[in-house]
Amino acid sequence: MNEYVLEMKGITKTFPGVIALDNVSFGVKKGEVHALVGENGAGKSTLMKILNGVIKANSGEMYLDGTKTNISGVNDAQDKGLSIIFQEFNLINTLSVAENIFLGGLNRPKIVDWRNMRIKAQGLLKSLGFSFDVRRVVGELSTAEKQLVEIAKALSFNSKIIVMDEPTSSLTKSEEKMLFKIIKELKAKGVTIIYISHKLEEIFEICDTVTVLRDGKVIDVNPVSAITKDMIIEKMVGRTVDVEYPKRTILPGEKVMEVKNLYRTKILKNISFDLRKGEILGIAGLVGSGRTELAEAIFGAERFDKGNIKINGKVIKLRSTRDGKANSIGMVTEDRKETGLVLDFSVTNNITITNLNNVTSQRILNSRKEKDVAKRFIEELKIKTPSHKQEVVNLSGGNQQKVVLAKWLFSNADILILDEPTRGIDVGAKYEIYCLMNKLVAEGKSIIMISSELPEVLGMSDRILVMHEGEIKGELLGESASGEDVMQMIIN
Amino acid sequence: MKSYSITNDINNKLVIFLKKRAVTVLLLAFIVFMVISKPSFYSWGNITNILTEMSVYGIVAFAMTVAIIGGEFDLSASSIFGWATVFFISITNTLGLIPAFFLTLISGILMGMVNGFLVSKVKLNAFVVTLATMTIIKGLTFFYTGGSPINTSNETLIAIGAFNVAGITLTPIIFVIALIVFILILAKTRFGRNIYATGGNYHVAKLTGINVDYYKFIIFVIVGFCSALAGILLCVRVQAGSALYGKDLALYAVTATVIGGTSLSGGNGGVAKTVIGLLVMSVLFNALTLLGVEGYFQQLIRGIVLIAVIIIDTVIKKKNK
Amino acid sequence: MLKIQDIKGKYIANVLRSYGVLIALIIIIIITSIIETNFFTIGNFINIIRQVSIIGIVACGMTFVIISGAFDLSVGSIVSLSGVVAISTINNGGGEALAIIYALLIGVSVGFVNGILISLINGKMGEAFIITYGTQTVVAALALFASGGLFVAGRIKPGIYKSIGKGIVPIVIFIVIAIGMQFILTKTKFGRQMCFIGGNIEAAKMSGIRVVANRTAYFMISGLLAGFAGIVLTSRVISSNPAGGMGFELDAIAAVVVGGTSLLGGNGSIVKTVLGAIILGVMRNALNVLNITAYPQMMVTGVIIILSVSLDILNRKAKEKELANEKL
């Protein structure tokens, strides 16, 4: 008699020079929602990749329904009722919804029966309580819809166990609610879910059990009811984290930026606000509310049709990101890998690119000056890197983010726009980024922070602008506002 | 106010239609123009002429479309084609027609396999690989013939070449068969859909359990096979082989594919679209010849059309976003 | 014991990978010198480099374009057209200076068209490929048009134009251009931004780099050098041929690739390209000396291209492995 639907025993996995998993044992009971948490690099994704047959463990055993199994590859995992929904969806944007659902499907006839496939796909979506045209191309879907397609795909293999990796990372609050409802329904049907997330609030909302991984070892397994958020954090980080959001003492000063009636057809509606020296201005709102478009407009990366922007009382022209830079604005974009860094460039080359004139002598690049700049920022921002010559691809997410910040600090930006500054960064590194933000405003910089994580916006901002459908719905004070206040503004 | 918005709506729909089918609309407009201004354009003789002209390269264009859908590119098609003409004629002269037919196809497949192996297994950039094999095969072909064209007086071949139904020769018939086969494979088989998946997102397709390397490999085999087949079909028409044949084939095939509307980024498109691309090119050049436009002026227009199409294509795509 | 051997093995592998191309060159030279005594002579080497210099100049421009993440297929026909126009200018009494200006102007203009079109539509490899193929076709047609499709003998009096292609002048020009461009690439803001654009064009845009202007400039440089190569070519053969530069684009790409600049963009070096061009030149010359005809030569060129990119892949894989080890 074995109550576990899945058991992994004594899993060890080493990569050249690294022990990724050290004798890990992990058990999941049938029909539960089991949270798997840990900092980046703790071994969560390695464990899941072993479960899915993408990589092989050096040693250890795996049991499904009490019988010993070997998973030889992705197809085999699917055959055995295991599927993983990755954070960056495994969908092919150029193909239709139906095709994506049945892409690696179990019943693989040589000839594609389109009608049958569509009916089945529609049926699966219906079983989740949704219906949309399955002939639509996945590239046109919203993130939430893509998520649904992924779940439908998992169900199409009759999956008994579904792993969800950061499923809510780009969902809006209401979409998140929908997802939780689906998870509950799946659970009722006896589907087991392994839930990986950095957002600990969610775990208390939806999960039954939580397993904490740290440095490739299982630190703790507990029912959610027997543990608190602080305890989880402590176990993840291996030390007590006193304050989630560090406090700062300085108060915002005079106005540095005034945005007046910014308008862009269908996207931005008469946006007006101002930003003060030493202030962190939070922008809350759903994905697609126009937050990023607003930030890009202020930076010069996107156009606006009407309105104006004043910096230190003077109207500025913003035709390109160059103009933004020239007016000492910097933007840390949402996706550092796509739009922030050249991954195979060194730390130095990524930092100095915004202000090469400053590291030249007689217009010739001076590598000594470059090195000094890089070293200064590595020290100031505590960037963990073996050397200034290291390629940024080898740094952790948090350190990569610091490199992006450094590049804008080097361009002497006084107004920093941070779009999702802590996305995909683990708890410890998040805290460091927050401290850094405080330090920057203390030095007289101003920050506009966009974030989907409400607690972060509430915890870090002096003021919060709530955006919805391209409009500013209201303004709140960071100190006194609550998550409910923000949601109220969005709904009304 | 209301009536304004309705006309606006109709306008919008028309605009969307025109944008989506811009190339087709332009093609039709051009055909109408030609029919009115040059009666000889729509004579049966000229129509079969256009068909035959586009058929040989068209078969390779289909294969190239498949390659582009799969996210790859094959420049060596030109050389494989030239090689096939030379090899086919010379084997016809020595071993006979049937061995020549099969050996030529096999040689094309083998060349495709080399490309496929280097791209899918050794993971080399397809552009460089096929650029290199293009040079190698061209060298081989010149070496094989000593640089001069070769002829045959094989009577069966001449007879096959002369065969026609109401002026339609074997080539267009095979072209249509190839079109149907490719449409069926791409739309109706798992094999075809997996090529779309591989080209659409290699990484995801791999994680979904699709044997992506196999599809990357097979793409080049298809191009090799079709290039050899097209080479044979040319031989049927002209009873001669030369290393110089098919010089601009690969780029012609890419152009037809892109004009047709298959995106260079892979994962979408289809051979039916490529037919439009082929028609645009062959109708345009046929028309220019009929209008008495000189050789290099034709070439000039061809270049401009190519640039215009790719730019219009990307601009429209951007707008639709 | 084992460890020392290990380190030794690693060292040798490292040297092989980093200097594989250079080693291959030396091996070719040694073998050919043993077989043919009149190969290893200063005269012959000057001859080789002179032959290489024209493709080399074109390849330097191509390197910039490839580093920035694109391709330029139009250079071959630019060589043809600029040569045709220069010779006909001189023959029609327009003067040498004007001929040179026209030739360079043609190169820059075609490069401008390429660059502005590609960068405005935010074109990647594929678009660059098609658009420059389009301009190649157009420019080749213009060359045919301008020359009436004919081979034209140049009526060039001794002077600047004639001396450009004579003796060691093309070699000196090639070396000066290469040094200058290597300097621009590694030591200037312009060069660094080029690498950044090739490495991640979206990040470049978001970093306040003038992407459109810069990308256009790379194509203009490539075109300018192709135009200049047209002058050198016609000066050397004292005639123009509307198809004189045909296939140069592929030879230039081959030189870049054989040298070891990755087609992925983001980094590369002019020095490598020069080396690549010389290797191809030496190889061709060696085959000539060994009495191997032009056709097998084409095949050998192809094989060399494949071998050198395979080496590049091997190199990258080994680097990744080393990195994984270092992480310990």
Side-chain angles (χ1 to χ4, degrees):
Chain A
M1 194 46 207
N2 193 326
E3 55 175 334
Y4 290 110
V5 61
L6 164 76
E7 246 193 314
M8 299 171 87
K9 281 186 187 165
I11 304 280
T12 297
K13 173 72 193 174
T14 57
F15 292 111
V18 194
I19 301 173
L21 293 172
D22 184 5
N23 198 18
V24 165
S25 293
F26 177 64
V28 184
K29 290 174 194 157
K30 187 171 164 62
E32 73 170 345
V33 180
H34 193 122
L36 183 62
V37 298
E39 289 197 285
N40 287 343
K44 292 168 301 185
S45 47
T46 310
L47 189 66
M48 290 305 107
K49 278 183 186 157
I50 290 172
L51 179 63
N52 205 26
V54 177
I55 54 177
K56 289 228 168 324
N58 299 76
S59 62
E61 291 164 347
M62 197 152 105
Y63 297 86
L64 276 176
D65 285 325
T67 37
K68 197 175 165 189
T69 3
N70 261 320
I71 305 252
S72 61
V74 184
N75 285 332
D76 192 31
Q78 284 171 1
D79 292 344
K80 286 172 177 150
L82 280 166
S83 48
I84 299 192
I85 300 173
F86 289 98
Q87 192 179 353
E88 61 283 4
F89 302 120
N90 264 344
L91 297 173
I92 292 172
N93 284 333
T94 54
L95 299 186
S96 70
V97 171
E99 277 178 275
N100 266 292
I101 291 179
F102 291 104
L103 197 57
L106 262 185
N107 33 5
R108 305 186 173 100
K110 287 248 183 252
I111 303 296
V112 179
D113 181 349
W114 285 94
R115 223 178 85 85
N116 192 14
M117 193 165 90
R118 281 186 198 128
I119 292 170
K120 276 188 179 162
Q122 206 87 60
L124 282 167
L125 287 175
K126 212 166 256 169
S127 77
L128 294 170
F130 292 88
S131 75
F132 50 84
D133 190 353
V134 294
R135 283 171 299 190
R136 275 172 73 191
V137 175
V138 164
E140 297 168 357
L141 301 182
S142 71
T143 318
E145 286 169 327
K146 284 184 185 169
Q147 183 89 259
L148 277 173
V149 176
E150 278 281 14
I151 296 174
K153 188 168 140 189
L155 292 179
S156 77
F157 320 126
N158 295 316
S159 296
K160 289 176 292 185
I161 302 170
I162 300 177
V163 181
M164 295 184 182
D165 187 5
E166 299 277 355
T168 59
S169 62
S170 32
L171 292 191
T172 63
K173 262 279 174 272
S174 57
E175 289 165 347
E176 205 174 287
K177 286 230 165 72
M178 239 155 55
L179 176 72
F180 290 166
K181 207 177 122 221
I182 292 170
I183 290 179
K184 279 173 190 150
E185 277 163 17
L186 291 175
K187 190 176 150 183
K189 285 179 194 157
V191 177
T192 309
I193 287 168
I194 300 174
Y195 194 91
I196 300 175
S197 180
H198 276 123
K199 300 187 193 167
L200 299 180
E201 295 84 10
E202 290 173 10
I203 287 164
F204 288 92
E205 192 172 341
I206 193 82
C207 300
D208 305 304
T209 317
V210 55
T211 295
V212 182
L213 276 180
R214 187 175 78 224
D215 301 332
K217 293 190 191 80
V218 173
I219 299 298
D220 192 43
V221 186
N222 254 316
V224 166
S225 52
I227 196 164
T228 67
K229 199 169 138 186
D230 290 342
M231 285 159 74
I232 295 181
I233 292 176
E234 195 183 319
K235 285 179 171 128
M236 277 166 64
V237 198
R239 60 176 189 275
T240 44
V241 178
D242 326 324
V243 208
E244 230 181 315
Y245 301 103
K247 287 272 166 278
R248 54 180 182 275
T249 46
I250 57 118
L251 289 169
E254 75 275 21
K255 281 181 193 172
V256 289
M257 180 190 236
E258 289 165 78
V259 174
K260 265 254 156 62
N261 295 324
L262 219 55
Y263 179 89
R264 182 177 165 193
T265 316
K266 285 182 188 167
I267 295 178
L268 300 173
K269 289 174 204 156
N270 294 322
I271 305 259
S272 299
F273 66 87
D274 37 59
L275 177 71
R276 290 168 183 281
K277 188 171 177 168
E279 180 180 44
I280 296 182
L281 177 66
I283 299 184
L286 310 177
V287 173
S289 61
R291 304 174 314 185
T292 300
E293 288 79 358
L294 172 62
E296 285 177 348
I298 296 171
F299 180 50
E302 279 290 346
R303 64 187 171 84
F304 51 90
D305 303 328
K306 282 178 215 154
N308 65 58
I309 297 170
K310 278 187 200 165
I311 286 190
N312 297 328
K314 261 190 265 166
V315 176
I316 57 163
K317 269 194 179 160
L318 276 177
R319 287 152 309 189
S320 69
T321 52
R322 255 173 72 81
D323 292 339
K325 198 167 86 175
N327 286 293
S328 56
I329 306 173
M331 179 165 174
V332 175
T333 53
E334 201 173 357
D335 189 337
R336 57 182 166 272
K337 288 181 183 166
E338 291 295 323
T339 52
L341 298 163
V342 177
L343 290 174
D344 43 14
F345 264 32
S346 67
V347 173
T348 311
N349 288 353
N350 269 296
I351 293 175
T352 56
I353 192 70
T354 51
N355 198 354
L356 286 169
N357 290 334
N358 214 336
V359 287
T360 51
S361 20
Q362 272 93 48
R363 314 201 66 180
I364 295 167
L365 292 176
N366 182 327
S367 56
R368 198 179 40 79
K369 278 190 184 172
E370 285 200 74
K371 189 179 86 183
D372 292 344
V373 167
K375 287 203 158 157
R376 195 180 88 216
F377 281 109
I378 288 171
E379 198 173 312
E380 251 174 50
L381 308 190
K382 299 195 184 71
I383 300 171
K384 271 181 221 124
T385 171
S387 126
H388 64 280
K389 288 186 202 148
Q390 180 69 270
E391 291 167 5
V392 292
V393 69
N394 301 310
L395 303 187
S396 72
N399 286 306
Q400 286 181 348
Q401 196 70 311
K402 287 182 190 170
V403 174
V404 183
L405 260 174
K407 104 179 190 192
W408 287 113
L409 295 178
F410 182 54
S411 85
N412 296 319
D414 290 325
I415 297 167
L416 288 163
I417 305 168
L418 312 182
D419 195 355
E420 302 282 4
T422 64
R423 171 176 288 176
I425 290 177
D426 53 51
V427 181
K430 267 186 186 175
Y431 187 76
E432 282 184 49
I433 299 269
Y434 297 144
C435 292
L436 206 56
M437 286 166 66
N438 284 351
K439 190 176 152 221
L440 292 173
V441 290
E443 285 165 8
K445 311 240 182 232
S446 308
I447 292 177
I448 297 176
M449 178 181 72
I450 298 172
S451 173
S452 296
E453 289 186 46
L454 265 184
E456 180 175 279
V457 180
L458 296 168
M460 288 302 297
S461 314
D462 293 301
R463 281 183 302 142
I464 300 163
L465 301 177
V466 181
M467 268 192 92
H468 189 58
E469 292 180 343
E471 249 177 303
I472 292 183
K473 286 282 184 178
E475 188 182 312
L476 296 162
L477 284 178
E479 239 172 287
S480 55
S482 71
E484 284 74 37
D485 295 340
V486 173
M487 290 319 291
Q488 279 295 330
M489 280 193 169
I490 289 175
I491 293 161
N492 298 327
Chain B
M1 274 315 266
K2 189 133 199 196
S3 67
Y4 171 76
S5 78
I6 287 172
T7 45
N8 215 8
D9 196 46
I10 292 170
N11 268 342
N12 272 343
K13 273 187 181 157
L14 190 67
V15 166
I16 289 169
F17 174 79
L18 285 178
K19 274 178 179 171
K20 269 194 169 167
R21 301 255 176 273
V23 176
T24 317
V25 173
L26 283 175
L27 174 67
L28 289 176
F30 186 71
I31 289 176
V32 169
F33 165 76
M34 280 308 294
V35 167
I36 293 167
S37 62
K38 270 274 171 188
S40 61
F41 176 76
Y42 69 107
S43 68
W44 183 244
N46 193 43
I47 290 171
T48 55
N49 187 19
I50 291 178
L51 276 178
T52 316
E53 283 294 325
M54 70 185 256
S55 294
V56 174
Y57 276 18
I59 290 169
V60 180
F62 291 156
M64 191 65 83
T65 306
V66 174
I68 290 175
I69 290 171
E72 296 298 346
F73 224 80
D74 190 345
L75 293 176
S76 69
S78 304
S79 295
I80 298 177
F81 180 87
W83 159 258
T85 60
V86 162
F87 189 61
F88 178 76
I89 296 291
S90 91
I91 300 290
T92 302
N93 286 341
T94 51
L95 298 178
L97 203 55
I98 290 168
F101 178 73
F102 286 106
L103 287 175
T104 307
L105 288 183
I106 289 169
S107 69
I109 289 172
L110 285 176
M111 289 167 179
M113 283 168 79
V114 172
N115 284 329
F117 171 78
L118 290 169
V119 173
S120 69
K121 283 291 162 208
V122 192
K123 312 274 181 207
L124 301 183
N125 177 309
F127 179 82
V128 182
V129 166
T130 55
L131 177 71
T133 52
M134 178 185 92
T135 319
I136 295 172
I137 297 166
K138 204 193 277 171
L140 180 72
T141 314
F142 274 119
F143 185 60
Y144 189 78
T145 59
S148 43
I150 50 175
N151 303 306
T152 183
S153 45
N154 185 302
E155 279 165 16
T156 327
L157 191 66
I158 293 168
I160 297 174
F163 166 82
N164 72 78
V165 184
I168 295 175
T169 54
L170 186 68
T171 322
I173 296 172
I174 291 185
F175 171 78
V176 171
I177 294 172
L179 173 65
I180 294 167
V181 169
F182 270 118
I183 287 180
L184 288 178
I185 289 178
L186 284 179
K188 292 287 178 188
T189 68
R190 182 163 61 86
F191 176 85
R193 299 320 291 178
N194 282 350
I195 290 179
Y196 279 88
T198 306
N201 191 327
Y202 177 84
H203 192 65
V204 168
K206 191 174 177 179
L207 278 178
T208 316
I210 292 171
N211 188 355
V212 279
D213 288 346
Y214 167 74
Y215 290 98
K216 288 272 176 195
F217 173 78
I218 209 76
I219 280 168
F220 291 95
V221 178
I222 291 172
V223 176
F225 173 82
C226 287
S227 305
L229 180 65
I232 294 173
L233 288 174
L234 185 77
C235 292
V236 169
R237 258 177 56 205
V238 300
Q239 284 98 36
S242 162
L244 294 171
Y245 287 162
K247 217 178 56 194
D248 55 347
L249 169 61
L251 289 165
Y252 178 97
V254 174
T255 310
T257 305
V258 174
I259 291 180
T262 296
S263 145
L264 276 176
S265 48
N268 61 45
V271 288
K273 289 183 168 181
T274 302
V275 174
I276 299 291
L278 287 167
L279 276 171
V280 168
M281 307 213 350
S282 47
V283 168
L284 185 65
F285 300 127
N286 180 274
L288 290 173
T289 313
L290 285 185
L291 295 171
V293 176
E294 277 177 275
Y296 28 82
F297 203 62
Q298 275 200 28
Q299 193 184 338
L300 190 89
I301 291 175
R302 196 166 64 191
I304 292 172
V305 166
L306 175 57
I307 296 171
V309 164
I310 183 108
I311 287 179
I312 291 168
D313 185 53
T314 37
V315 169
I316 286 174
K317 257 184 220 149
K318 224 183 205 171
K319 281 254 169 81
N320 285 354
K321 251 184 181 178
Chain C
M1 272 313 275
L2 197 91
K3 262 199 171 156
I4 292 170
Q5 259 179 352
D6 241 32
I7 291 168
K8 235 184 186 170
K10 230 187 197 171
Y11 180 74
I12 292 171
N14 250 332
V15 169
L16 268 179
R17 274 187 275 106
S18 313
Y19 300 101
V21 184
L22 198 59
I23 294 167
L25 176 64
I26 293 168
I27 293 173
I28 295 173
I29 292 177
I30 292 174
I31 294 177
T32 321
S33 308
I34 293 169
I35 302 175
E36 273 295 337
T37 42
N38 54 2
F39 174 75
F40 199 79
T41 59
I42 291 176
N44 192 36
F45 279 111
I46 289 179
N47 181 30
I48 290 174
I49 298 178
R50 192 188 304 133
Q51 280 169 352
V52 159
S53 57
I54 294 174
I55 289 292
I57 291 169
V58 176
C60 285
M62 184 70 80
T63 311
F64 271 21
V65 175
I66 286 180
I67 289 175
S68 76
F71 266 128
D72 188 354
L73 295 183
S74 69
V75 286
S77 48
I78 294 176
V79 172
S80 307
L81 179 63
S82 60
V84 165
V85 170
I87 290 294
S88 76
T89 307
I90 290 174
N91 284 357
N92 293 332
E96 290 182 358
L98 208 57
I100 292 172
I101 290 171
Y102 281 161
L104 297 181
L105 215 56
I106 285 168
V108 174
S109 320
V110 177
F112 175 76
V113 172
N114 282 332
I116 201 84
L117 290 178
I118 291 166
S119 53
L120 278 182
I121 64 168
N122 196 14
K124 306 272 148 53
M125 233 25 156
E127 286 83 11
F129 189 85
I130 301 262
I131 286 181
T132 57
Y133 172 59
T135 47
Q136 181 203 76
T137 316
V138 171
V139 174
L142 290 176
L144 286 169
F145 186 69
S147 64
L150 299 172
F151 186 90
V152 178
R155 292 191 294 273
I156 310 174
K157 294 180 197 102
I160 303 173
Y161 201 98
K162 206 163 191 176
S163 62
I164 288 175
K166 277 275 167 323
I168 60 161
V169 178
I171 301 178
V172 173
I173 292 174
F174 175 39
I175 292 171
V176 168
I177 287 176
I179 292 174
M181 289 183 72
Q182 177 72 6
F183 180 81
I184 291 173
L185 179 62
T186 55
K187 293 289 174 197
T188 68
K189 180 175 163 181
F190 182 75
R192 178 65 59 77
Q193 291 187 335
M194 182 193 309
C195 296
F196 208 85
I197 289 171
N200 186 343
I201 190 166
E202 297 304 323
K205 269 185 212 155
M206 292 307 277
S207 302
I209 294 174
R210 273 199 253 198
V211 174
V212 171
N214 275 325
R215 293 188 78 190
T216 307
Y218 312 143
F219 281 95
M220 286 168 75
I221 290 172
S222 173
L224 176 76
L225 290 175
F228 189 71
I231 297 172
V232 180
L233 179 70
T234 46
S235 158
R236 226 180 75 202
V237 297
I238 325 182
S239 63
S240 74
N241 174 355
M246 207 171 74
F248 275 28
E249 63 281 353
L250 297 183
D251 284 342
I253 292 173
V256 176
V257 168
V258 168
T261 291
S262 159
L263 285 177
L264 297 174
N267 60 60
S269 128
I270 296 287
V271 173
K272 284 180 177 176
T273 298
V274 170
L275 216 59
I278 292 177
I279 286 175
L280 289 171
V282 167
M283 200 260 329
R284 229 165 258 174
N285 183 273
L287 293 173
N288 273 336
V289 169
L290 298 175
N291 270 330
I292 294 171
T293 56
Y295 308 137
Q297 278 190 30
M298 290 170 77
M299 295 160 73
V300 175
T301 311
V303 172
I304 288 185
I305 293 176
I306 289 179
L307 284 180
S308 44
V309 280
S310 304
L311 207 71
D312 181 48
I313 292 272
L314 225 67
N315 219 337
R316 209 166 309 145
K317 274 188 185 156
K319 238 192 198 167
E320 270 165 28
K321 226 181 186 176
E322 257 167 44
L323 242 151
N325 281 327
E326 267 171 25
K327 272 191 178 166
L328 183 89

